[in-house]
Amino acid sequence: AHIERSLDFIGKRASGELPTTAEWIRNFVLAHPEYKKDSAVSQKINYDLLKLCLEVSHGDVEGADLLGGFASTESRKLAMRPPPCGAATN
């Protein structure tokens, strides 16, 4: 069942039904109220993007436009694991 879901997810990405991560990021930046369409990505846009990525990875935000409902409880548990010993934390 897991392999089938993974293949379905990959198929939806390949067909364009779900955006790639790069497309999702590009869409976020283009839609951000501070983006001036000058190719410059401000600190505020970067901060908001990274905050959203963290929220999606922790399951705080669904991220349906990126993941299409494919995020599992197990993947969210893995995302919330503490960093390995010796890893830098901020």
Side-chain angles (χ1 to χ4, degrees):
H2 179 72
I3 290 176
E4 289 175 14
R5 278 182 52 83
S6 296
L7 291 174
D8 189 29
F9 175 73
I10 292 167
K12 288 182 187 234
R13 278 269 171 95
S15 72
E17 189 174 335
L18 287 177
T20 63
T21 306
E23 183 180 6
W24 183 78
I25 291 171
R26 192 169 32 257
N27 291 340
F28 177 87
V29 171
L30 290 172
H32 196 282
E34 285 200 8
Y35 184 64
K36 298 174 183 150
K37 298 180 178 37
D38 59 359
S39 299
V41 179
S42 69
Q43 286 184 340
K44 172 70 171 144
I45 296 170
N46 275 308
Y47 175 83
D48 291 346
L49 175 61
L50 291 176
K51 183 178 176 213
L52 179 60
C53 289
L54 184 65
E55 291 169 346
V56 169
S57 72
H58 285 180
D60 298 334
V61 172
E62 185 177 310
D65 53 337
L66 174 65
L67 304 173
F70 283 93
S72 68
T73 304
E74 185 60 29
S75 67
R76 289 183 181 140
K77 286 180 193 171
L78 291 173
M80 291 190 279
R81 287 185 303 183
C85 291
T89 58
N90 291 337

